[in-house]
Amino acid sequence: MRGRGGARGNRAPSAPWSRLKPVDLDPLESMGLPSKGDSRLLDFKTQERYYTKIVERYMTFCSDAGERDELLRRFASLDISSNSNAGLPAKSFSGTPPLDPNTPSMAPATIPSNTKGLSDVLAALRKLREGIVASKRADDFAIQVYLFCIRLSVLVKHPESYHPAILHLLRRIQPLHTMTSVEKSEVVGYLILDTACRRNNLAEAFAIRYKYRLRDAKVDGVLDALAHDNYIEFNRLKKRVDGHKAKLLEYAEEGMRKHLLKCFGRTYLSVDLNFLEICADSKWANLTAEDGVGWELDGEKVVIRKVKAR
């Protein structure tokens, strides 16, 4: 005779959860932010395993893109301008993009499906950086993580990720565990260009260059071009620097080009169309649509001002 709650025959009672499918947890999303109480990333070994998964996901994202142009398009399709609360990056490269951001050379409101992998990587890097900061880690691994984060965030133009990472690397990690001279010059160069181009603070950019004794002819040339509002030289240097620095120069590009157009407006009555397009590094259609140029096009001549008859 079976007692209440007993099993029929020799069968064990079925577990109440046995019919549920096991939950598929994303290894990057399974970790929480240390600032929100998740302490798993305070362990050094856990940090290293998590970083390996981040790199694997990034390489998968790059291999899925396949062709260079498609990879560029996916980088550019992230939009940083909104959703700052999510802690994820977003927005729009010149030169061939490195598949590995560790080779020196975006928080989206709506994440396109083909860029979600990159958004997940950026969110995971934030968690890992928090774990490194909270555990006060300063060694080769910490430098490697921060360099990876800075390079990737620069490529997707997400200053909320790369700017604090640069400051922590230079102010907290570097005094305790020295970077190589090449790595230090690279990071300082990013900080100088970000200060001059995005934050539009040339005085501070020159001060940073003096503080860290940076010797980089291309960075010096960019600062000189910005100080003299020389868009021709600025644009020439933008094509010569590596892809990471070129992304930082994009912050100042629009303002420099508009200053050039104002100089044309104050200096010339008319110019050849080809000359204008070469100087502005932009086609006539883009100048009128994006830069608000209201001059008249007369064949191959651009009429800037008409002389009023007396």
Side-chain angles (χ1 to χ4, degrees), residues 71-269:
L71 181 59
L72 289 178
R73 191 187 66 78
R74 293 191 182 190
F75 270 104
S77 64
L78 289 179
D79 185 3
I80 317 178
S81 56
S82 50
N83 197 17
S84 57
N85 294 332
L88 295 173
K91 188 175 181 187
S92 140
F93 189 146
S94 103
T96 303
L99 290 181
D100 181 358
N102 278 327
T103 303
S105 59
M106 307 176 213
T110 303
I111 304 173
S113 58
N114 59 5
T115 60
K116 186 180 183 302
L118 185 56
S119 300
D120 291 342
V121 167
L122 292 164
L125 282 170
R126 176 189 169 182
K127 299 173 186 177
L128 183 56
R129 278 173 35 229
E130 282 196 11
I132 291 174
V133 172
S135 61
K136 296 181 173 60
R137 185 168 187 172
D139 56 10
D140 287 337
F141 173 77
I143 292 175
Q144 181 181 0
V145 170
Y146 268 77
L147 288 175
F148 183 94
C149 176
I150 291 166
R151 290 163 179 161
L152 179 57
S153 302
V154 165
L155 285 181
V156 296
K157 295 178 72 175
H158 191 242
E160 290 83 355
S161 292
Y162 69 71
H163 189 254
I166 289 174
L167 296 182
H168 183 79
L169 185 56
L170 290 175
R171 295 176 180 177
R172 302 297 179 188
I173 297 180
Q174 166 69 15
L176 299 176
H177 193 85
T178 306
M179 290 184 285
T180 66
S181 59
V182 174
E183 291 169 342
K184 184 178 178 181
S185 296
E186 177 192 351
V187 174
V188 172
Y190 295 156
L191 181 59
I192 292 173
L193 294 178
D194 179 69
T195 303
C197 298
R198 180 180 66 87
R199 297 172 55 209
N200 196 28
N201 192 332
L202 269 177
E204 185 178 342
F206 278 105
I208 294 171
R209 186 185 67 170
Y210 176 79
K211 176 182 178 180
Y212 290 101
R213 300 290 193 271
L214 179 68
R215 294 183 178 181
D216 188 317
K218 292 177 182 177
V219 172
D220 292 346
V222 171
L223 293 180
D224 183 72
L226 289 169
H228 292 88
D229 292 318
N230 188 343
Y231 180 71
I232 306 297
E233 179 66 11
F234 175 87
N235 193 48
R236 185 182 68 83
L237 287 166
K238 182 174 178 290
K239 295 176 181 179
R240 292 179 56 197
V241 298
D242 62 63
H244 296 78
K245 290 186 174 69
K247 296 303 286 186
L248 294 172
L249 265 59
E250 286 181 5
Y251 286 112
E253 186 173 16
E254 182 181 356
M256 292 283 285
R257 184 169 57 250
K258 287 188 174 180
H259 179 80
L260 171 84
L261 295 172
K262 288 179 181 178
C263 292
F264 268 90
R266 294 168 183 166
T267 307
Y268 296 100
L269 295 177

Side-chain angles (χ1 to χ4, degrees), residues 42-57:
L42 301 185
D43 178 71
F44 286 8
K45 291 296 183 183
T46 304
Q47 291 173 2
E48 292 164 12
R49 288 194 297 268
Y50 193 58
Y51 177 67
T52 301
K53 293 175 183 176
I54 291 173
V55 174
E56 289 173 354
R57 182 68 58 86

